[in-house]
Amino acid sequence: MLDVTVIEDAAAAAVSLDPMRARLLAELAAGPASATMLAGRVGLPRQKVNYHLKALERHGLVELAGERRKGNVTERLMRATAASYVISPLALAAVQPDPGRFRDQLSARWLLAVAARLVRDVGALITGATKARKGLATYALDGEVRFGSAADRAAFVEELTRGVGALIAKYHDEHAESGRDHRIVVALHPTVKPAASVTAEGSVTAGGGAPPDGAAPVTTGPASIEEAS
C-alpha cells in the first residue's frame, strides 16, 4: 500500500468523493476486509457494499488482498491501494488553476493556483516514474515560524527572496546540455488550526480559521524540487 497516491482521472475522482465510498476507502486503508465485514461496520447490506467495492476496484482505488473460505462461500478480501488520496487538478482539466494567467506573490489565490500546479505536476511525475519503474528525486522543506510583527514578516520575506534568488543565480546553467530543469516553490501562509477531520459518517468538519494577520504562526518551505530520474 502506498502512503499517498494522486487521482488524475475525473471518473475516479467522482467515485472517491461519494461519502459512502470514501468511508469504505478509510476502512480498507486500516486493513483488508470483505464485503460482509464492511457491511457490519458501515450499516449497509452486503450486496450494496459489494456494489460500491466494484466501483472502487474499477478505478484502481481498492484491490484484491486475498480470499478466504467461509462455509460454502469464498470471500474476497479487499484493501485500499493507498493510505490516503489527493485529487489532481487534471481531474478537472478544463477548469484547473493556471498560475501563468497572472502573477501576484502576495495573492493567496495565486498561491493556491501554484499549489494546485504542484499537485498536478508531482502527481504526473509519480505516475510516469512508476510506469517506468524508476526513482523520482524530490525535496521538500516544511517548518513553522512565529513573527513578532507584520514588519518582521515583511523583512523575512525580503531576505528569503534575496537568498533564494541568489541561489538560483548561482546554480542555474541554461547552457548545460545534460542539465535537467527543476521547479522551485516557496510558500508562506498563516497556520490553520485545528486541522480538518473526517467524521465516521464521512463528512468533513473544520474548526477555527487562519490566525489574525501580522503575528501569526506560519508555514514556509520549498514545496518541491523534483526530477524524474
Side-chain angles (χ1 to χ4, degrees):
M1 178 190 294
L2 300 172
D3 290 334
V4 61
T5 193
V6 180
I7 299 173
E8 299 176 325
D9 178 70
V15 166
S16 70
L17 290 172
D18 176 88
M20 180 50 65
R21 291 169 183 171
R23 171 76 186 280
L24 292 173
L25 281 176
E27 293 287 345
L28 293 175
S34 67
T36 300
M37 297 164 62
L38 292 169
R41 299 176 192 174
V42 302
L44 285 181
R46 179 182 59 82
Q47 294 85 350
K48 192 68 174 177
V49 171
N50 255 327
Y51 169 78
H52 288 308
L53 289 177
K54 287 179 180 177
L56 292 167
E57 187 177 14
R58 269 196 310 272
H59 294 285
L61 301 176
V62 302
E63 62 187 4
L64 182 66
E67 295 180 337
R68 70 175 185 179
R69 293 285 298 178
K70 191 173 183 180
N72 295 326
V73 178
T74 299
E75 288 189 331
R76 302 176 79 228
L77 296 174
M78 306 301 294
R79 65 184 174 200
T81 54
S84 57
Y85 300 84
V86 175
I87 296 178
S88 168
L90 286 176
L92 292 170
V95 291
Q96 64 178 306
D98 180 9
R101 291 175 187 161
F102 67 96
R103 182 182 179 89
D104 182 355
Q105 291 178 304
L106 299 180
S107 167
R109 297 188 186 279
W110 186 70
L111 172 58
L112 189 62
V114 171
R117 182 184 61 191
L118 177 66
V119 171
R120 181 198 67 195
D121 290 354
V122 175
L125 287 167
I126 290 173
T127 299
T130 301
K131 289 180 179 178
R133 296 183 178 181
K134 291 185 177 181
L136 184 63
T138 62
Y139 168 79
L141 175 65
D142 180 38
E144 290 192 8
V145 55
R146 180 182 292 270
F147 295 115
S149 66
D152 287 347
R153 185 182 60 189
F156 175 87
V157 169
E158 183 179 352
E159 188 173 342
L160 180 65
T161 301
R162 288 199 308 267
V164 173
L167 283 172
I168 292 173
K170 178 180 178 180
Y171 288 101
H172 176 64
D173 186 354
E174 62 183 21
H175 302 297
E177 295 182 0
S178 60
R180 289 185 174 181
D181 292 335
H182 287 65
R183 182 174 298 282
I184 300 170
V185 177
V186 179
L188 178 70
H189 63 82
T191 300
V192 178
K193 295 180 180 179
S197 60
V198 181
T199 68
E201 291 75 22
S203 60
V204 177
T205 60
D213 189 38
V218 300
T219 300
T220 179
S224 173
I225 301 178
E226 71 269 0
E227 174 184 343
S229 54

